[in-house]
Amino acid sequence: MTSRTPATATGARGSAFAGASGGDPSGIRDEPTRPQDATANGLGSGSVPVTGITVTRHLAAAERHASLTADVRAGLTANPRELPPKWFYDATGSLLFDRITRLPEYYPTRREHAVLAANAARIATACPATTLIELGSGTSEKTRLLLDALRNAGVLRRFVPFDVDEETLLRAGQEILRSYPGTSVHAVVGDFERHLAFLPGSASGDSGSAGGVAADRRLVAFLGGTIGNLRPETRGTFLRALRDQFHDGDALLLGTDLVKDPARLVAAYDDSAGVTAAFNRNVLSVINRELDADFDLRGFAHVAAWDPENSWIEMRLRSVREQEVSVRALGLVTRFGADEQMRTEISAKFTLEGIRAELAAAGLGTSAQWTDPDGDFALTLAVPA
Ligand code: SAH
Ligand code: AVI
């Protein structure tokens, strides 16, 4: 249904998980949406000029607003309170994350880069994909190693970055288009917890040939350890939903951070320059701006703690005093007690066997697994079992 002519709409809608679980585990009622596909040749959104790339929006302004509204209402009225990490990522949040990746304490990006650099050619040989899809793509910086390997193998035809943050997504898509002439770029603005069913080339997405890519073989990269930001049950649902989209020949390349010394882990999430603290508080700025709230960012302290039982780092925001917050778009006024903590992210750390077991439970067989020399970070290549 995707078209290379301007502003055609598709009728695709629904939850990626509907078939797998019978409901949307995010708790968001799935509003019928009309994702818009357009070969953008003007302004895609905000001030990001998009030229020559195809854009599908599952999270246009209205859907984003509805989804944020539902999450914030549920999260602020829960006990204990909790906000999903996906809302860190407006343009500022993505910029802060990018700064985190360059911090001395934050090793995962450098380690994953090393694993990719050492193994990208092997990955391209194992899965000579015509389409590289990247979930939670952000700036797609490390992804260039995969794009280079697939291009060198002479197979690459299309890149599909997929992210909730439209501005960063379109900017990255444009840069990739410039760097890889002859490769088409199809950016998808969406939530990988809800919109997986519409991946280009999947049964409910485009047919694979409509985007000019026939006999499509897809490599889905999910890098950075972002899968660790999902709870274990949500990870299972996510992996099964992805497995359901796979055809023979498709593969998943999964990046995961590995269990290690808790002191290193905590330092990676509580850096001395305070960038992670600013990233954590950014979710409050997003709510202030998009839901007309009045969170005082100075009233919330950054907390990073290792939870050995769950094998994850938790980020929280601690209310430094008793305070009242009003979220006008929700008609909600709520009180935070002094020292009350609100969870904003989990970041799970894995073992190699644990990853293989989670993939197997979702019907995915591990065909290769690599780590950096220090065993800090893993890449796993998995195919339908
Ligand atoms: N893959 C990049 C970026 C990781 S940061 C890297 O390895 O460095 C996590 C990215 O996932 C952000 O760009 C964020 O906007 C995106 N993201 C987070 N939750 C998401 C969701 N539910 N659906 C789609 N994208 C999401
Ligand atoms: C995107 N994700 C894998 C990062 C992580 O490490 O869990 C987000 C992050 N949170 C704090 N620092 C980085």
Side-chain angles (χ1 to χ4, degrees):
M1 302 287 278
T2 300
S3 161
R4 298 283 303 169
T5 56
T8 54
T10 71
R13 66 178 62 115
S15 163
F17 293 150
S21 66
D24 184 343
S26 65
I28 302 164
R29 218 168 66 76
D30 203 72
E31 303 294 341
T33 58
R34 274 170 58 96
Q36 294 160 356
D37 284 5
T39 295
N41 49 11
L43 289 181
S45 94
S47 59
V48 184
V50 277
T51 319
I53 72 176
T54 303
V55 183
T56 298
R57 290 184 181 81
H58 298 297
L59 274 181
E63 289 83 28
R64 180 182 162 86
H65 184 78
S67 188
L68 177 66
T69 298
D71 280 359
V72 172
R73 189 187 297 285
L76 289 185
T77 54
N79 187 13
R81 301 183 213 246
E82 176 161 9
L83 295 169
K86 71 184 84 160
W87 302 115
F88 286 136
Y89 300 94
D90 62 350
T92 303
S94 292
L95 201 71
L96 286 166
F97 176 74
D98 192 55
R99 286 199 195 134
I100 287 173
T101 65
R102 295 167 214 286
L103 292 168
E105 295 97 332
Y106 194 78
Y107 60 84
T109 307
R110 283 185 295 278
R111 296 300 200 235
E112 187 177 43
H113 188 280
V115 192
L116 275 170
N119 297 291
R122 284 188 191 91
I123 294 164
T125 303
C127 180
T130 46
T131 292
L132 175 62
I133 298 176
E134 183 178 19
L135 302 178
S137 47
T139 58
S140 293
E141 220 174 287
K142 282 169 292 179
T143 317
R144 287 169 178 258
L145 293 164
L146 290 172
L147 290 165
D148 289 344
L150 292 167
R151 185 173 59 177
N152 292 343
V155 290
L156 179 67
R157 296 165 72 179
R158 176 167 63 166
F159 177 52
V160 180
F162 181 121
D163 206 285
V164 279
D165 175 12
E166 177 164 338
E167 192 170 328
T168 306
L169 173 75
L170 297 186
R171 202 180 300 282
Q174 291 270 264
E175 283 170 15
I176 298 287
L177 186 71
R178 262 197 300 278
S179 305
Y180 296 85
T183 301
S184 66
V185 175
H186 180 166
V188 181
V189 187
D191 180 341
F192 52 61
E193 292 186 57
R194 301 174 62 210
H195 303 123
L196 273 193
F198 313 119
L199 292 181
S202 67
S204 327
D206 72 37
S207 66
S209 59
V213 181
D216 204 8
R217 178 194 273 246
R218 298 170 306 164
L219 175 60
V220 176
F222 193 22
L223 303 178
T226 304
I227 193 164
N229 299 137
L230 303 179
R231 293 178 151 280
E233 58 279 11
T234 311
R235 291 202 296 269
T237 314
F238 166 85
L239 288 170
R240 278 190 298 278
L242 191 59
R243 164 69 184 85
D244 286 348
Q245 302 308 313
F246 275 179
H247 308 139
D248 284 347
D250 291 347
L252 166 67
L253 183 68
L254 184 64
T256 44
D257 195 9
L258 299 175
V259 174
K260 56 184 59 63
D261 174 13
R264 267 184 81 205
L265 286 169
V266 171
Y269 290 83
D270 193 10
D271 63 279
S272 54
V275 183
T276 310
F279 172 73
N280 195 2
R281 288 191 194 95
N282 190 56
V283 70
L284 304 181
S285 299
V286 169
I287 297 170
N288 280 351
R289 186 186 62 242
E290 298 194 31
L291 297 181
D292 196 12
D294 62 1
F295 277 104
D296 172 10
L297 270 59
R298 290 160 308 182
F300 289 86
H302 170 65
V303 178
W306 171 242
D307 177 342
E309 264 167 42
N310 287 307
S311 192
W312 67 47
I313 285 278
E314 266 191 36
M315 291 209 314
R316 307 181 201 127
L317 288 168
R318 179 174 60 78
S319 175
V320 298
R321 57 172 189 273
E322 197 179 323
Q323 55 187 315
E324 193 174 271
V325 174
S326 145
V327 187
R328 280 178 282 273
L330 304 184
L332 180 76
V333 177
T334 186
R335 287 197 81 73
F336 282 81
D339 286 330
E340 181 180 341
Q341 300 200 17
M342 172 166 67
R343 182 158 58 191
T344 48
E345 184 182 72
I346 61 158
S347 190
K349 308 303 164 189
F350 298 84
T351 62
L352 295 176
E353 315 76 66
I355 297 158
R356 293 197 297 269
E358 287 196 31
L359 290 167
L364 291 161
T366 296
S367 49
Q369 226 169 11
W370 303 276
T371 73
D372 60 290
D374 292 326
D376 279 339
F377 199 95
L379 276 183
T380 304
L381 189 66
V383 295

